[in-house]
Amino acid sequence: MIGNRDALSISITDKDELIIASDCSGGIGHKPDDAVQVDSEMVGYFGFRVAVMECLSAGARLMAVQLMNFTGDSEWEGYASGVRMGLKELDMEDIPLTGSSESNFNLNQSALGVTCIGMRRKERHFLPKKDLSYALIGIPLVGKEVLVHRSSIAPLSLFHTCNHHPSIIDILPVGSKGVRHELSLLIGKPLKRGDVDSTQDLDKSSGPATSFIISYNKEEEQNIRKLTGGHFQSLTLFDGNN
């Protein structure tokens, strides 16, 4: 699956390249000054979720996960447990986890960085496919909404299934810049307001990648709807791409 990604590619051989994708969070945890109060396991899980979705959607095979823990030594195991929870959901429990913790100074707010390192065969360049349909899987949520509307979050396991499904042409997680921004990356040109029809706010942050976009051939829509269930929402483009 080929597309523009928020990930770094580094050539390592004539045939292979590393794919590095990262996410970070600040002010989310259970310190008194944190803006969103939540346990460290959940912070670790959702930080990993964003980075791994970026890595896998770029066509990489996950090789390792790195945590940069600025919250303190006491939170390491909680963050690591969240990452392991995500790895289990992906059936990748053997992936190594490493990282570092800030232990010299105590910050007033929680902070975490997560990096996923993968490997893929070097990209072959394809002409863009025409007459594709697009859908949003899950709902954009941010902050406390993630805690309140958990059932509206597209499961990580569903993302993994879609990423390997033969009827799905391309896939991209939605982050803080919103659906319209990510859809612009997917189709390869900027979309203005009014270019896309959806029941969702297309410029709202999707926080820790609570939703993702897929492209597929229109004739496969019933199969895609069955696969994604109630998480499926059509994205209709008015520029000749729908």
Side-chain angles (χ1 to χ4, degrees), residues 137-153:
I137 311 301
I139 293 177
L141 300 169
V142 66
K144 294 179 180 179
E145 295 173 338
V146 176
L147 306 178
V148 176
H149 303 290
R150 293 290 296 274
S151 63
S152 297
I153 299 173

Side-chain angles (χ1 to χ4, degrees), residues 140-211:
L141 300 169
V142 66
K144 294 179 180 179
E145 295 173 338
V146 176
L147 306 178
V148 176
H149 303 290
R150 293 290 296 274
S151 63
S152 297
I153 299 173
L156 185 56
S157 56
L158 177 59
F159 173 87
H160 191 46
T161 299
C162 289
N163 194 40
H164 293 89
H165 198 280
S167 296
I168 294 175
I169 306 301
D170 212 341
I171 189 168
L172 196 61
V174 181
S176 59
K177 294 181 181 178
V179 174
R180 187 162 59 92
H181 171 81
E182 303 294 352
L183 186 56
S184 295
L185 294 179
L186 204 62
I187 69 172
K189 65 178 181 179
L191 294 170
K192 303 185 296 294
R193 292 180 185 273
D195 286 345
V196 189
D197 181 50
S198 172
T199 58
Q200 297 298 319
D201 181 348
L202 299 181
D203 294 309
K204 179 185 176 183
S205 170
S206 189
T210 58
S211 62

Side-chain angles (χ1 to χ4, degrees), residues 33-239:
D33 290 338
D34 285 334
V36 178
Q37 293 289 317
V38 65
D39 64 78
S40 55
E41 183 179 64
M42 185 172 292
V43 177
Y45 170 79
F46 279 106
F48 167 73
R49 174 190 173 95
V50 176
V52 78
M53 288 171 77
E54 289 287 356
C55 187
L56 297 179
S57 70
R61 183 177 78 259
L62 185 63
M63 304 297 293
V65 182
Q66 181 185 54
L67 290 178
M68 301 303 291
N69 166 28
F70 297 93
T71 310
D73 280 335
S74 62
E75 301 305 312
W76 172 268
E77 187 50 44
Y79 289 148
S81 177
V83 172
R84 287 193 288 268
M85 185 167 63
L87 288 170
K88 183 177 181 180
E89 196 172 345
L90 293 169
D91 195 24
M92 298 181 183
E93 295 170 271
D94 59 337
I95 297 296
L97 170 63
T98 187
S100 179
S101 296
E102 171 58 72
S103 56
N104 295 305
F105 300 97
N106 184 32
L107 303 185
N108 292 331
Q109 291 181 297
S110 302
L112 175 70
V114 183
T115 298
C116 286
I117 302 169
M119 185 181 295
R120 73 176 178 193
R121 304 293 277 181
K122 288 187 175 177
E123 289 184 356
R124 295 160 56 196
H125 297 285
F126 297 92
L127 293 174
K129 295 192 179 223
K130 297 182 179 180
D131 301 321
L132 294 179
S133 293
Y134 299 86
L136 176 67
I137 311 301
I139 293 177
L141 300 169
V142 66
K144 294 179 180 179
E145 295 173 338
V146 176
L147 306 178
V148 176
H149 303 290
R150 293 290 296 274
S151 63
S152 297
I153 299 173
L156 185 56
S157 56
L158 177 59
F159 173 87
H160 191 46
T161 299
C162 289
N163 194 40
H164 293 89
H165 198 280
S167 296
I168 294 175
I169 306 301
D170 212 341
I171 189 168
L172 196 61
V174 181
S176 59
K177 294 181 181 178
V179 174
R180 187 162 59 92
H181 171 81
E182 303 294 352
L183 186 56
S184 295
L185 294 179
L186 204 62
I187 69 172
K189 65 178 181 179
L191 294 170
K192 303 185 296 294
R193 292 180 185 273
D195 286 345
V196 189
D197 181 50
S198 172
T199 58
Q200 297 298 319
D201 181 348
L202 299 181
D203 294 309
K204 179 185 176 183
S205 170
S206 189
T210 58
S211 62
F212 58 91
I213 300 168
I214 59 171
S215 65
Y216 57 94
N217 293 315
K218 182 66 176 178
E219 59 268 23
E220 298 290 339
E221 181 161 317
Q222 290 306 311
N223 291 334
I224 301 299
R225 284 181 177 272
K226 184 177 180 180
L227 174 70
T228 56
H231 293 291
F232 183 97
Q233 300 171 79
S234 293
L235 294 172
T236 304
L237 273 62
F238 296 115
D239 61 350

